[in-house]
Amino acid sequence: MNESREGAEADPVIRAIRTRRVVRALTTVPVDQEDLEAVVDSARYAPRAGNRRIHRYVVVTRPAMLRALRMVSPGMLQAPTAAVVVCIDWDRAGAFGFTRATPAPYVDVGTASATMLLAAHALGLGAGPVTSFSRTAAATLLGLPEPVRPELIVCLGNPATQRTPALRRRPGNEWTDVLQWDRGARPEGSGPQHGRDATRHRKRDEELIRSQISKIAPASAPGREEHGAEAFVDVYAQDADLTNVVGKTFQGRDAIVGHLRRLFADPRFLAGTPVGSPRSELRWVTDDVVIVKTYTEREGQQTVTGSALPLRRTYAFRVFHRADGEWLLVSDFYMDVRGESTLSYEEDASAPS
């Protein structure tokens, strides 16, 4: 080994780069506030196109919000106690001449995220990036204004193994101008409702949501495509996304409606009979956002080759958002149950909770 290589091996930065790992085994101990602030602040030292500040960071620490993010993030295999959602502010990006086809803003998402991962490693935290998640659902959950779109999630937590002592944060760092906690900035007057009135309307809202779900439920016999053609359109938001059990995503209402019409017209999909009634659980994230988890079983459904499946167990995860008094589906995610690793956000996925 030559002298320059030996020097690199001894350099703490090089050593940190080479020893950093994606950590998915995390404890339930919350991340220290100072450590969390140091990780987020490190992003402003990352290289960026023209040194322009076109990104926003939403830090999520509330357990309920973290659980909600995991529901719409199939790539989130860990259970973090904190997460940083890296977003692009397209209003600011546009002011500098960037378009959504320009690679620079997305590259800068990567440099900021990589810098935060190294900072977390230096502080003895476990961290890992997640890119497999519903952008529309995450933006809805976090209450992000339309120009601000999430692109990557950095999961943080204390590793299950012994952590190293945390480093002291540099004083005098200014980062609060691009940072929100748990929820993004929303227009004035759009905050959650409280009190007796909101409670009184929740039961009615849940009935409306269940009614929406029933419109897209498969029938037990062919011909559903005639029944549901208009109903499909009424359920999904214009920018909704749907991910099927093989991981293919359909973006936008038109693409989703076309996919469902084809699916419900296929006699192989409609073959067999349901086993019992679907089991659904509604989780209120805010007064305007609800996540619905549904578990179904079906006997005799056929594969694309026509062979029958003895029993098919499927989870559906749906994010509903209320806009202008109407509940619309913004994210629809399906997953076949094949084992405990299937449901990444559950501690025990062997049976529906």
Side-chain angles (χ1 to χ4, degrees), residues 58 65 69 72 85 87 133-151 153 182-186 239 241 289 319 321 330-331:
V58 180
M65 185 63 75
L69 275 180
V72 300
V85 184
C87 310
F133 67 96
S134 168
R135 270 67 172 164
T136 302
T140 302
L141 291 171
L142 299 173
L144 297 176
E146 174 57 32
V148 180
R149 306 307 293 172
E151 292 297 334
I153 302 173
D182 287 309
R183 296 275 287 173
R186 296 184 294 174
D239 62 345
D241 56 47
V289 180
V319 179
H321 179 231
V330 298
S331 181

Side-chain angles (χ1 to χ4, degrees), residues 12 24 55 57 62 73 79 110 118 143-144 170 192 202 205 220 246 287 326 336 348:
R24 296 191 176 95
H55 297 84
Y57 306 88
R62 287 198 294 116
S73 305
L118 283 172
L144 297 176
R170 293 180 179 179
R202 277 205 170 182
D205 288 333
S220 58
V246 297
D287 287 335
E326 185 178 16
D336 278 345
D348 181 9

Side-chain angles (χ1 to χ4, degrees), residues 8-9 22 70 79 130 139 142 153 184 190 221 228 236 244 270 302 328 352:
E9 291 287 350
V22 172
R70 295 183 74 194
V130 173
L142 299 173
I153 302 173
S190 64
Y236 291 92
N244 64 16
L270 297 175
Q302 296 177 6
L328 293 177

Side-chain angles (χ1 to χ4, degrees), residues 169-189:
R169 182 171 66 92
R170 293 180 179 179
N173 293 324
E174 297 179 2
W175 43 266
T176 55
D177 57 334
V178 296
L179 174 66
Q180 289 87 40
W181 293 89
D182 287 309
R183 296 275 287 173
R186 296 184 294 174
E188 186 176 352

Side-chain angles (χ1 to χ4, degrees), residues 160-171:
T161 54
Q162 183 66 34
R163 60 172 290 189
T164 57
L167 298 179
R168 181 175 298 176
R169 182 171 66 92
R170 293 180 179 179

